Amino acid sequence: MIHLTRLDNSPLLVSLDAIKYIEATPDSVISFINGDSLIVRESLEEIDRRVLQYRVKLLSQAKSSSTP
């Protein structure tokens, strides 16, 4: 899950598994698999950076837990 911010500045966690796509219109609009959508303050570039950080963290944890 990644931390994002709603337009009213309230924080939220978003599950990457639930995201269908993200677009800039010019705000970042996240469309979910279930048909819901959400507008967030972060740019597409910032969301991409956070997704990458999250995946690196997961891979690092998986690697360290599989090492004897």
Side-chain angles (χ1 to χ4, degrees), residues 17-58:
D17 296 331
I19 296 174
K20 186 173 183 181
Y21 60 88
I22 305 171
E23 59 186 329
T25 62
D27 295 316
S28 296
V29 179
I30 302 172
S31 294
F32 295 95
I33 295 168
N34 68 359
D36 291 347
S37 61
L38 175 68
I39 301 172
V40 295
R41 291 192 168 277
E42 289 77 11
S43 67
L44 285 178
E45 293 80 12
E46 178 62 19
I47 295 169
D48 187 41
R49 186 183 69 76
R50 291 182 188 189
V51 168
L52 181 60
Q53 282 180 331
Y54 175 74
R55 290 188 174 164
V56 166
K57 179 182 169 184
L58 285 181

